[in-house]
Amino acid sequence: MQASQSQSDRTQEQLPDLRIVPLASLMPHEENDTQRSEPLIERIRTAGTLLNPPIVAPMDDDPINGHFVILDGANRHYALRELGYAYILVQVADYESDAVQLETWNHVVSGPSWFEFLRPINAILGLKLTATDLLSAQAALAQRDIMAYAVLEDGCAYTMHATATTLAEHNKILRKIVNTYKRNGVLNRIRTDVLRQARKLYPDALAIVVFPHYQPAEIVVAARDGAYLPPGISRHIIRGRAMRLHYPLEAFRENGESLAQKNEQLQLWIQRRMAEKRIRFYAESTFIFDE
């Protein structure tokens, strides 16, 4: 009994900061990914619940009319907006704490031939493609001397260089690059830049596009200024992430309840879940197979 109570107390202390906020208060830092968001809209509509809340961080100190940058969940934000909801359930994280880690996804591209992949990228005005070895491309990207690089079948790395003096210009060119293969291929996210490893998961993979590592300030500025990154580049790892809530969508409608009332209902819902012992904290890394 004491062990059970101790576990319950630890879970209570580690509970994430869950809030219902106006949908309009969220500011994405990346473009919407239609390959993910369109199917997501139908899944959410059919389920009638929000499974996993977006992760957000405050952009100002205004507790009433403040704005939040979406660290993860831009497609869920887009889906609820398209479905006509006025509010959304989010998990608020402290971007400056060690509970949030910012990393980068690479894009593994399937579908087009290598010629169909490279030709539209090479046609982007002001962008220069150069064939080199993988190690040189990795070093150039680490120094931010290039925008990105792509690894293809022949084992070469193709660096992508363009002159960009501002973050907005840089991200605009990256969006143009990603849009070329979003139209002609299938985009998935991966950590490796080794094609043979990617093909263990994606047998039809043609290329891997590798992007620079970003800093949190660049993410916030991208959201503030509308200088969006392409979809699926930033990767935020959140310690103590809330998942599989299945919170009812009806709570997000404009139904006469104030925002304070909606959050009171949320807290009561969390308390009921605690009393029913339905909230469990997993300290270890976890694979979710029905996301």
Side-chain angles (χ1 to χ4, degrees):
M1 183 67 177
Q2 289 180 346
S4 176
Q5 182 63 42
S6 177
Q7 174 65 31
S8 176
D9 290 343
R10 287 197 299 270
T11 301
Q12 180 71 51
E13 292 172 359
Q14 295 164 339
L15 279 178
D17 183 356
L18 296 173
R19 308 180 200 174
I20 294 177
V21 300
L23 204 70
S25 69
L26 301 193
M27 304 181 70
H29 72 271
E30 61 182 357
E31 279 191 327
N32 168 59
D33 183 355
T34 55
Q35 292 185 7
R36 288 174 173 261
S37 63
E38 296 303 328
L40 179 62
I41 289 172
E42 292 309 312
R43 289 202 302 270
I44 291 177
R45 191 201 313 270
T46 300
T49 60
L50 180 65
L51 185 64
N52 301 319
I55 306 294
V56 304
M59 295 184 67
D60 48 53
D61 297 324
D62 189 336
I64 305 299
N65 300 308
H67 289 83
F68 301 86
V69 56
I70 303 174
L71 304 184
D72 184 78
N75 291 317
R76 277 161 278 169
H77 170 259
Y78 175 85
L80 262 66
R81 188 180 66 192
E82 291 297 297
L83 290 169
Y85 290 97
Y87 300 92
I88 188 170
L89 172 60
V90 298
Q91 179 176 348
V92 180
D94 180 357
Y95 211 171
E96 297 180 355
S97 75
D98 59 4
V100 181
Q101 180 181 343
L102 174 58
E103 296 188 359
T104 303
W105 285 113
N106 302 331
H107 287 174
V108 54
V109 184
S110 308
S113 67
W114 69 266
F115 180 75
E116 293 169 328
F117 171 78
L118 286 178
R119 182 176 62 176
I121 294 176
N122 196 43
I124 296 173
L125 187 64
L127 186 70
K128 181 181 179 181
L129 271 179
T130 304
T132 186
D133 62 278
L134 180 58
L135 190 60
S136 295
Q138 291 171 338
L141 188 66
Q143 294 296 319
R144 292 285 188 105
D145 292 334
I146 58 176
M147 292 276 176
Y149 66 84
V151 181
L152 272 74
E153 180 66 52
D154 58 13
C156 288
Y158 293 81
T159 60
M160 306 176 195
H161 179 269
T163 301
T165 58
T166 67
L167 181 65
E169 292 173 353
H170 184 278
N171 290 349
K172 182 178 181 180
I173 295 172
L174 283 184
R175 293 198 302 271
K176 289 181 178 180
I177 293 170
V178 174
N179 284 339
T180 63
Y181 54 80
K182 274 178 61 181
R183 288 193 295 265
N184 302 321
V186 177
L187 182 162
N188 285 288
R189 305 170 188 182
I190 203 164
R191 294 291 309 281
T192 185
D193 64 355
V194 179
L195 199 56
R196 67 176 179 275
Q197 293 181 8
R199 284 179 173 159
K200 294 177 182 179
L201 291 175
Y202 306 103
D204 298 328
L206 167 84
I208 298 174
V209 184
V210 183
F211 302 95
H213 182 77
Y214 284 86
Q215 297 300 319
E218 294 176 295
I219 300 297
V220 176
V221 169
R224 184 195 67 187
D225 297 348
Y228 301 131
L229 274 73
I233 290 181
S234 64
R235 180 188 186 219
H236 288 90
I237 300 173
I238 312 297
R239 192 175 66 198
R241 184 167 193 161
M243 302 184 73
R244 304 194 61 77
L245 272 72
H246 290 288
Y247 200 76
L249 295 180
E250 285 303 312
F252 307 144
R253 294 195 184 279
E254 195 72 80
N255 57 6
E257 290 181 335
S258 68
L259 184 58
Q261 289 172 323
K262 288 181 178 295
N263 276 290
E264 287 173 5
Q265 292 299 319
L266 171 62
Q267 293 307 312
L268 289 173
W269 180 87
I270 292 172
Q271 290 170 13
R272 288 196 298 270
R273 293 270 164 156
M274 284 293 297
E276 296 167 359
K277 302 187 183 302
R278 298 180 65 180
I279 300 176
R280 185 170 179 180
F281 173 70
Y282 290 89
E284 66 272 19
S285 300
T286 305
F287 288 94
I288 304 295
F289 281 80
D290 63 347
E291 177 74 357

